[in-house]
Amino acid sequence: MADFSINKLSENDIKKAYQFIYVFEKEIHSRYGTFDFENQALLRFCQEYQIKKKEKRNTKSTDNYFWFNTVKPKDAPNNDYAHNLLRHIRNTMAHGNFKKGRSKKCFYTFEDYNKRTGQQTMYGKINADLFWKFLNILLHTSPFVDNNINFK
């Protein structure tokens, strides 16, 4: 088996990451435009746990934040920010840029890069005890995602 110790991920972390990649490819990828970044459950969760979307990558870092670039497909009627964030998270996991660290608390960091230019397109740091709950809520902002899918 490959050595994942460089990313400090547990076997359970790796299992959940693989499951999320699978779910993204089978359930999420084709559902652009059905997710809701302004979903009240998502907004409440982020407010309660102080998870912040930063507008710029060079803002002061804190616990529980992320920033990302969005790309709206030419034929899409709207920019699905939630889907874009899910895609970036999928990419971080698939490309080995999903890591676990520790300071005061255990946390995950995740980063994504443009494959053509190498420019960073996403970064996040969320406490480990919140990340999978956050991901579950984000996933279920679309009415098309099966309610039985969760990463607890």
Side-chain angles (χ1 to χ4, degrees):
M1 181 169 179
D3 179 11
F4 292 101
S5 62
I6 193 167
N7 289 2
K8 298 184 173 94
L9 297 171
S10 70
E11 188 174 323
N12 192 42
D13 294 329
I14 295 166
K15 179 181 171 188
K16 286 181 180 180
Y18 179 80
Q19 288 172 331
F20 175 71
I21 293 167
Y22 178 83
V23 166
F24 185 90
E25 298 302 327
K26 294 291 185 187
E27 302 281 333
I28 300 167
H29 185 278
S30 64
R31 300 281 188 202
Y32 188 93
T34 68
F35 293 86
D36 181 7
F37 202 64
E38 300 298 320
N39 175 279
Q40 289 303 304
L42 179 63
L43 294 175
R44 276 192 305 274
F45 185 84
C46 289
Q47 183 176 9
E48 180 178 350
Y49 294 104
Q50 300 177 353
I51 299 173
K52 296 176 175 63
K53 179 186 179 296
K54 302 279 187 170
E55 295 304 319
K56 297 180 181 173
R57 73 181 90 182
N58 58 358
T59 57
K60 183 180 179 220
S61 65
T62 60
D63 285 344
N64 299 324
Y65 76 98
F66 58 90
W67 63 263
F68 62 98
N69 295 347
T70 63
V71 177
K72 178 178 147 306
K74 292 177 186 174
D75 57 343
N78 64 345
N79 194 343
D80 189 337
Y81 293 99
H83 189 279
N84 278 307
L85 180 56
L86 289 164
R87 176 180 48 81
H88 280 297
I89 292 171
R90 175 257 178 232
N91 290 348
T92 69
M93 293 174 178
H95 301 156
N97 296 321
F98 181 64
K99 301 171 185 169
K100 190 182 260 184
R102 185 161 194 80
S103 57
K104 295 175 194 168
K105 290 186 171 186
C106 194
F107 59 87
Y108 293 109
T109 59
F110 36 100
E111 50 194 308
D112 194 15
Y113 296 87
N114 181 299
K115 64 183 172 185
R116 287 176 300 231
T117 67
Q119 179 182 7
Q120 190 171 14
T121 57
M122 185 262 205
Y123 182 84
K125 177 184 174 187
I126 297 180
N127 290 342
D129 59 338
L130 299 176
F131 177 77
W132 297 106
K133 294 173 189 173
F134 171 76
L135 189 60
N136 279 329
I137 294 170
L138 186 61
L139 273 173
H140 292 98
T141 64
S142 171
F144 297 103
V145 174
D146 185 334
N147 285 331
N148 293 318
I149 296 172
N150 66 63
F151 299 94
K152 295 181 180 177

